[in-house]
Amino acid sequence: MTEPEAEIDRSGPTSVALPGDARLQRRRTGRALGGVAGGLADHLGMPVLWVRMAFTIGAALGGAGVLAYGLFWIFAPQQPADAPTREVSGRERQQAIGLLALGLGLTIGAWGLSSAVNGWVAGGIGVTLVGAALVWREADQSQRRRAKGAVLGGGGPAAVVRVLSGSALVAAGIAIFLLTSMGLGQVQFTLLAVVAALVGVALLTVPWWLRLVRDLGEERRARIRTEERAEIAAHLHDSVLQTLALIQKQAESPREVLRLARGQERQLRTWLYSPSGYGKVAEAEALSDVLARAAGEVEDTFAISVQSVVVGDCLLDEGLHAVVSAAREAMVNAAKHAGVGEVSVYAEVEPEQVTVFVRDRGKGFDPDTVPEDRHGLADSIHGRMERNGGRVRLRTTPGEGTEVELQMPRAKVVT
Amino acid sequence: MSVRVFLVDDHSMFRAGVRAELDSVDGEIEVVGEAGSVGEAVAGIGHLKPDVVLLDVHMPDGGGAEVLRQARPKFPEVVFLALSVSDAAEDVIAVIRAGARGYVTKTISAAELGKAIIRVSEGDAVFSPRLAGFVLDAFADRPGAAPISDPELDLLTPRERDVLRLLARGYAYKEIASELFISVKTVETHVSSVLRKTQLSNRYELSRWASDRRLV
């Protein structure tokens, strides 16, 4: 929001330092045009009439007030739909409309009087502004109705008429402006016409662009939330759910249950609170160390032997953390389901990518027959790798063992 | 004719275990003697002239590398297979460069050990996944590596690299052969060629690992 504020400071009329904390929001109800003046008044704690007058006076100064108003309209978000409805007296409404007309008149008048622009041009621009205001206002309305997909839809025939007449006004304004420039040479005129048409289209589509940008931000936030959730689910599956399953199997041996529970508790605490736990990238560690540790944990937990070979080495980044976690899950799967005592892990670090193979010579399985509710392969391996831009290849035949290949491009090191 | 094996390890318990395991495997392997120190080993090898010596890497008085250095020049027809619990690169590379035809870890199963012994006795090389990893690492092209003086010895062919990768992934020779659509014999040739390069190349990484054990 700093941009329009800076703009205002330069243009004079409302050069009041805005408190940085509370966000400026345009009024949704009780507005004459875009709710800008009302929003500013709420924000600054002064009567709305003063703000409107300031904009009107600004309009007389070569149209600065109009420009400021437009920028506020674009950059200040509207109040949320559940904001309290504001009652407006008829008098205030009349004042507002009057000031609006006066402001517009002053703008056109100021331009028309100055020698640089003749009256027709100023009139054309004025008509264009009115049209643009109509379309923008309609866009605000439709945003409230939140018609999914259509930017200006959902308002019935009246809304369509308003939008069309707004567009027509913009087109007419541009046409007037162009008619006054007939005297120019053909090339200049064509150029001018193209530029004017582009400006017209830009003016009419501003609400649409804004919507696009805001929705994009909204969507990104939603995606980040889902990814976070998937990451947490994958971790809980690998650790807590696995341990709970082991505890159920060992239910008749209290000592073993105690050991498993203690170990899991320690691990979960580390993950939640330690500097290298959830949401923090640990102090850079070498891939070989972390992979060896994961292999050691699996060896201890499931009493199998994990033969791990690492060729080359590099420091871990977020993607490689995902590789190690996925590899660990693949080892756990092999330990639990393959029915053999040995698992081979091979990791190769190349300049562009890291590849890890986890192989057992056990039962193997048919990937199509894995029940839907088994999360190990789907979430902890596939999901994890894909979220971080990696790739998984699975080779398995019933009776001949399983090999999981994990491939992750390396983050470019800025040198 | 069975393969005559000589055991060298400073732990008598371990020797007894290996002897029992090898006897149980099949009739192709016969343990003809054992030794618990470098001196005993060199004398025993000279006396018995075994086909294969199973050599522990870690022993007092210089370890397996010392045995290799003393016994190999005198008895060039004897084949050495290194056996160790340690998986440190300098240990593994040191015994290979001192002349061992292969390297396996002590966690290997009896059947696998039997196969490895027969393989080295036939003149082939035996690489554990870990050794394959070390060799790949040593021959890796990384920026800032020392210049190659002898391309014949200092570089691996792409095929040799493929074979080593699969070895490191835990594939058996037969599985490697079917994966790469070549014969087991060809796999053995590649592995032997890699072994030769590992022993003779002067690549910086190899000499560094070996010199850590004061071998070069």
Side-chain angles (χ1 to χ4, degrees):
Chain A
M1 291 305 110
T2 51
E3 204 171 328
E5 283 165 21
E7 204 65 44
I8 288 309
D9 281 347
R10 254 177 280 132
S11 61
T14 50
S15 60
V16 181
L18 299 176
D21 212 34
R23 300 262 302 250
L24 172 66
Q25 290 179 324
R26 289 182 288 120
R27 270 190 200 170
R28 194 176 273 283
T29 49
R31 57 192 188 145
L33 191 59
V36 170
L40 261 179
D42 291 344
H43 191 69
L44 302 173
M46 52 204 288
V48 63
L49 184 62
W50 292 18
V51 181
R52 286 186 174 136
M53 284 170 77
F55 274 119
T56 311
I57 296 165
L61 304 172
V66 175
L67 180 67
Y69 197 97
L71 288 171
F72 268 119
W73 200 342
I74 292 175
F75 288 108
Q78 214 171 13
Q79 275 178 339
D82 52 1
T85 314
R86 186 179 296 271
E87 291 301 325
V88 183
S89 66
R91 216 172 83 95
E92 191 188 324
R93 178 164 292 277
Q94 277 173 9
Q95 275 177 348
I97 307 276
L99 280 172
L100 195 63
L102 183 63
L104 192 64
L106 280 174
T107 310
I108 299 171
W111 284 339
L113 284 177
S114 68
S115 50
V117 198
N118 76 34
W120 278 106
V121 174
I125 293 175
V127 172
T128 310
L129 287 177
V130 172
L134 255 175
V135 174
W136 290 14
R137 199 166 193 280
E138 196 48 43
D140 275 354
Q141 297 280 7
S142 85
Q143 190 167 13
R144 180 165 51 181
R145 287 189 292 268
R146 208 64 201 164
K148 197 81 185 161
V151 174
L152 299 171
V160 177
V161 169
R162 280 197 290 270
V163 171
L164 285 180
S165 53
S167 312
L169 277 174
V170 171
I174 289 172
I176 296 172
F177 171 72
L178 287 175
L179 280 176
T180 61
S181 325
M182 286 296 260
L184 293 167
Q186 199 153 23
V187 177
Q188 284 99 324
F189 181 76
T190 315
L191 274 177
L192 196 64
V194 169
V195 170
L198 282 177
V199 169
V201 170
L203 264 179
L204 287 175
T205 51
V206 160
W208 187 74
W209 291 117
L210 282 180
R211 170 82 58 85
L212 206 64
V213 168
R214 284 191 189 133
D215 284 1
L216 241 132
E218 194 56 43
E219 194 192 291
R220 234 186 84 220
R221 274 193 289 281
R223 205 180 54 234
I224 290 172
R225 272 199 298 277
T226 347
E227 285 188 1
E228 290 270 281
R229 183 170 304 171
E231 203 67 42
I232 292 175
H235 180 88
L236 289 183
H237 171 271
D238 293 359
S239 54
V240 179
L241 286 183
Q242 300 282 10
T243 308
L244 287 177
L246 281 172
I247 285 178
Q248 286 171 35
K249 276 189 194 162
Q250 313 268 348
E252 64 284 347
S253 151
R255 282 178 59 106
E256 192 64 8
V257 169
L258 204 64
R259 185 184 69 81
L260 287 167
R262 281 241 178 84
Q264 184 55 61
E265 184 196 343
R266 210 177 318 119
Q267 205 188 339
L268 196 59
R269 271 183 199 285
T270 316
W271 186 65
L272 287 173
Y273 307 119
S274 87
S276 60
Y278 171 66
K280 301 141 197 148
V281 174
E283 301 276 301
E285 284 181 287
L287 175 73
S288 57
D289 294 342
V290 182
L291 203 59
R293 200 166 61 221
E297 282 168 17
V298 174
E299 280 187 331
D300 289 350
T301 316
F302 296 95
I304 57 159
S305 90
V306 177
Q307 160 109 262
S308 97
V309 177
V310 181
V311 171
D313 208 350
C314 62
L315 293 180
L316 282 193
D317 57 24
E318 208 162 322
L320 295 184
H321 266 291
V323 174
V324 174
S325 305
R328 186 182 185 281
E329 181 60 19
M331 292 177 225
V332 169
N333 279 344
K336 288 202 328 195
H337 305 300
V340 287
E342 187 171 311
V343 178
S344 301
V345 177
Y346 171 64
E348 185 167 1
V349 180
E350 286 165 290
E352 291 85 29
Q353 62 178 33
V354 172
T355 320
V356 180
F357 296 89
V358 179
R359 179 167 195 265
D360 67 69
R361 292 184 192 185
K363 286 190 197 124
F365 63 95
D366 182 353
D368 298 331
T369 62
V370 175
E372 285 285 313
D373 62 332
R374 292 312 217 165
H375 291 284
L377 193 57
D379 293 351
S380 299
I381 299 180
H382 276 289
R384 212 173 233 155
M385 293 298 288
E386 275 150 27
R387 274 197 299 282
N388 287 284
R391 211 163 50 75
V392 180
R393 223 163 43 203
L394 185 70
R395 293 166 45 165
T396 177
T397 324
E400 288 185 15
T402 307
E403 186 172 52
V404 180
E405 178 184 344
L406 310 164
Q407 203 172 61
M408 181 67 71
R410 279 177 71 180
K412 288 277 167 291
V413 180
V414 183
T415 47
Chain B
M1 201 186 110
S2 63
V3 180
R4 299 169 68 248
V5 176
F6 189 83
L7 300 179
V8 181
D9 196 305
D10 56 331
H11 297 286
S12 56
M13 286 284 282
F14 182 77
R15 292 202 302 269
V18 172
R19 188 189 268 269
E21 275 183 351
L22 289 180
D23 285 341
S24 75
V25 173
D26 47 35
E28 287 185 64
I29 294 166
E30 180 197 350
V31 179
V32 293
E34 53 187 75
S37 72
V38 174
E40 268 180 54
V42 177
I45 292 166
H47 179 65
L48 292 166
K49 303 264 170 52
D51 299 319
V52 175
V53 176
L54 263 188
L55 190 61
D56 184 23
V57 173
H58 293 279
M59 283 195 301
D61 308 321
E66 185 61 32
V67 176
L68 276 162
R69 205 165 24 211
Q70 293 186 19
R72 245 172 71 82
K74 291 188 222 161
F75 317 107
E77 72 283 6
V78 177
V79 177
F80 291 82
L81 176 61
L83 191 67
S84 158
V85 280
S86 141
D87 264 332
E90 49 278 15
D91 292 341
V92 180
I93 297 296
V95 289
I96 291 295
R97 283 177 74 89
R101 293 288 302 168
Y103 174 88
V104 292
T105 38
K106 282 184 176 174
T107 52
I108 192 171
S109 72
E112 292 280 324
L113 181 59
K115 271 190 234 164
I117 289 170
I118 291 168
R119 182 156 277 140
V120 289
S121 75
E122 287 165 355
D124 292 318
V126 170
F127 274 40
S128 73
R130 189 60 59 98
L131 174 56
F134 288 147
V135 174
L136 269 177
D137 223 358
F139 283 94
D141 289 314
R142 45 175 76 83
I148 304 299
S149 54
D150 183 356
E152 182 65 24
L153 281 178
D154 293 348
L155 294 176
L156 297 180
T157 66
R159 212 47 165 171
E160 287 166 356
R161 224 173 262 279
D162 290 342
V163 170
L164 276 182
R165 271 201 191 104
L166 288 168
L167 272 174
R169 275 158 69 179
Y171 280 59
Y173 281 27
K174 208 162 68 187
E175 291 166 322
I176 295 173
S178 71
E179 178 76 22
L180 297 178
F181 306 107
I182 53 182
S183 70
V184 174
K185 200 70 225 160
T186 315
V187 176
E188 284 167 352
T189 313
H190 284 309
V191 177
S192 294
S193 147
V194 171
L195 178 80
R196 196 176 70 90
K197 290 178 182 180
T198 309
Q199 286 173 339
L200 299 179
S201 163
N202 283 318
R203 270 189 86 105
Y204 168 69
E205 290 83 0
L206 290 169
S207 358
R208 188 196 59 201
W209 278 334
S211 68
D212 285 350
R213 302 289 294 177
R214 291 182 302 281
L215 256 167
V216 170

